Amino acid sequence: MESMEAEMKSLTKVWITVLVCLTYCYIISSNIPKGLFRLVSILPIIPIFIILPLSLSSIHLLGIIGFFIAWLANFKLLLFSFNQGPLSSPSISYLHFISIACFPINFKRNVSPKTNNSASQTPESSSSRSFLIYALKGLVVVLLIYVYRYRQYLHPNFIIFLYCVHIYFLLEIILIITAKSVEFFLGLELEPQFNNPFLSTSLQDFWGKRWNLVVTGILRPTVYQPVQIICARIFGKRSAQLIALLATFVVSGLMHELIFYYFGRVWPTWEVFSFFVLHGVCLAVEIELKRRLKNRFQIPPLVSGPLTAVFVLVTGAWLFFPQYLRCGADVKSLGEYVIVAESVRGLIQKYWGSNRLVF
């Protein structure tokens, strides 16, 4: 319990530091013009946000703060330096600036509503259906935590598959809770974070349209587009697109290595980085083959879908999860579930006991 209280104190200090730094960034936006001068004024914030997660020890908090602050917030501030990205709206309020900088959310673009003759897809029915889906995913996560107690009897590859499901469901739940909370308190209409990645029919579909759309949305203007513009002048438009694609996956791999460093505090073995570089190369090959073959040859979705899923799972088991297991992140995270469960049980017993005394 003492360690949990110490962790909450550290977390409070982290968020206070984040708020102070972002307040500074918001104030200077009206006094320093976009470009080099604004970038120089923001640069001291970047290493602060990278160092902040090191004051925490919880795997879940490290993952959240590392992803929210060290990665997304820093990239958004870099875009803000040149008056681009979600923080650069001329009429953005202080509260909106802080919320968008801190959390993995994106505004919904102006989309014209499509007329639909079916009355079944009302906002209320859609919301109820979404709640039920996320509740079921939460139940699956809870069940998986109990299944891990018997992991010594399970095949290692099957355990890695369970970890894949666990991490995906948990990440999606964390992101949707964050987005819905911001949406409720600030009245913003936000874009979804995932789009049924298990329905992907290709790597291009998986990485570009379905998996962690918040990251896709921030990597496109910070890495892909600048590299494409620069390389187009040297290598031509077609080659520039492939180079920009590879550069995007390289940066994504480096940021994932940073988060894994937070987990284990050991020098990376570059397996996670290799996972993203491999997928970048394979995606570039896939795009080039589609360009050359065009409509002459198409793999049916019933075939390409399972092939995509198998490729992601196999390469993940080969390159992504060994480093996750080596740094003990799985053991630490399961230990945190036990601590939280015991804390909740203690609160329930305390509350129930006091009620029994009263009544």
Side-chain angles (χ1 to χ4, degrees):
M1 182 63 71
E2 291 181 1
S3 60
M4 188 174 181
E5 292 177 357
E7 189 75 356
M8 290 301 102
K9 289 180 181 178
S10 298
L11 180 63
T12 302
K13 293 178 182 178
V14 166
W15 280 115
I16 290 174
T17 304
V18 170
L19 290 175
V20 171
C21 291
L22 291 178
T23 301
Y24 159 77
C25 294
Y26 180 77
I27 292 173
I28 67 170
S29 67
S30 59
N31 299 318
I32 300 179
K34 66 179 181 179
L36 181 60
F37 290 107
R38 188 185 291 184
L39 175 62
V40 170
S41 67
I42 285 177
L43 279 180
I45 306 300
I46 305 299
I48 293 175
F49 280 4
I50 291 176
I51 294 171
L52 276 178
L54 295 175
S55 61
L56 302 170
S57 60
S58 165
I59 291 295
H60 292 86
L61 293 180
L62 283 169
I64 292 172
I65 300 299
F67 179 45
F68 287 16
I69 305 302
W71 185 349
L72 296 183
N74 271 340
F75 278 45
K76 290 175 184 178
L77 289 176
L78 290 174
L79 288 174
F80 173 66
S81 300
F82 300 95
N83 206 33
Q84 298 180 18
L87 300 177
S88 300
S89 174
S91 58
I92 190 170
S93 67
Y94 170 75
L95 190 56
H96 285 182
F97 184 92
I98 298 296
S99 300
I100 294 170
C102 285
F103 302 114
I105 57 178
N106 280 330
F107 286 123
K108 248 184 187 176
R109 305 302 177 189
N110 293 328
V111 179
S112 57
K114 296 181 180 180
T115 56
N116 191 350
N117 295 329
S118 175
S120 60
Q121 293 298 323
T122 62
E124 292 79 5
S125 63
S126 178
S127 177
S128 300
R129 182 173 175 272
S130 297
F131 176 79
L132 178 60
I133 290 173
Y134 287 112
L136 289 174
K137 290 180 178 179
L139 179 61
V140 170
V141 171
V142 173
L143 292 175
L144 287 176
I145 294 171
Y146 281 97
V147 170
Y148 294 148
R149 295 180 177 181
Y150 308 98
R151 58 183 180 274
Q152 65 269 24
Y153 305 111
L154 303 175
H155 194 280
N157 290 334
F158 181 66
I159 295 175
I160 289 178
F161 170 74
L162 296 182
Y163 283 158
C164 290
V165 176
H166 184 169
I167 291 176
Y168 162 50
F169 281 3
L170 185 62
L171 179 60
E172 190 174 18
I173 290 169
I174 291 173
L175 292 180
I176 194 63
I177 290 175
T178 302
K180 290 299 181 182
S181 299
V182 174
E183 191 173 1
F184 175 78
F185 287 108
L186 299 183
L188 303 176
E189 191 173 6
L190 306 175
E191 293 180 348
Q193 290 77 26
F194 287 89
N195 182 24
N196 299 322
F198 47 84
L199 297 179
S200 301
T201 56
S202 66
L203 288 178
Q204 187 176 16
D205 187 32
F206 179 81
W207 290 113
K209 299 179 181 179
R210 294 186 179 277
W211 179 261
N212 209 342
L213 301 178
V214 176
V215 171
T216 302
I218 203 68
L219 286 175
R220 186 178 291 112
T222 52
V223 182
Y224 182 85
Q225 292 173 353
V227 172
Q228 183 186 20
I229 292 172
I230 294 171
C231 292
R233 301 170 183 173
I234 304 172
F235 303 103
K237 183 178 178 181
R238 190 167 182 176
S239 298
Q241 291 176 343
L242 298 179
I243 295 172
L245 177 67
L246 292 174
T248 303
F249 276 86
V250 166
V251 172
S252 180
L254 291 174
M255 296 310 300
H256 279 85
E257 287 286 1
L258 176 62
I259 292 177
F260 272 72
Y261 176 78
Y262 293 146
F263 289 161
R265 311 295 164 89
V266 294
W267 192 253
T269 56
W270 304 108
E271 289 165 294
V272 174
F273 175 78
S274 301
F275 169 82
F276 286 95
V277 171
L278 174 63
H279 275 254
V281 171
C282 291
L283 178 52
V285 171
E286 177 186 300
I287 292 174
E288 189 62 22
L289 286 175
K290 286 180 179 178
R291 280 176 176 170
R292 298 196 176 192
L293 296 175
K294 293 184 179 179
N295 296 325
R296 287 178 291 176
F297 177 76
Q298 289 184 345
I299 301 177
L302 289 177
V303 177
S304 62
L307 286 176
T308 301
V310 169
F311 181 78
V312 173
L313 290 173
V314 170
T315 54
W318 173 35
L319 293 171
F320 190 89
F321 281 98
Q323 193 166 327
Y324 178 81
L325 300 175
R326 194 178 301 116
C327 69
D330 58 329
V331 177
K332 294 176 184 176
S333 61
L334 292 177
E336 290 171 12
Y337 289 127
V338 174
I339 293 173
V340 171
E342 290 177 350
S343 300
V344 172
R345 187 183 299 113
L347 290 174
I348 293 175
Q349 290 176 348
K350 182 178 179 181
Y351 175 77
W352 178 252
S354 62
N355 277 349
R356 290 182 65 183
L357 290 175
V358 172
F359 296 103

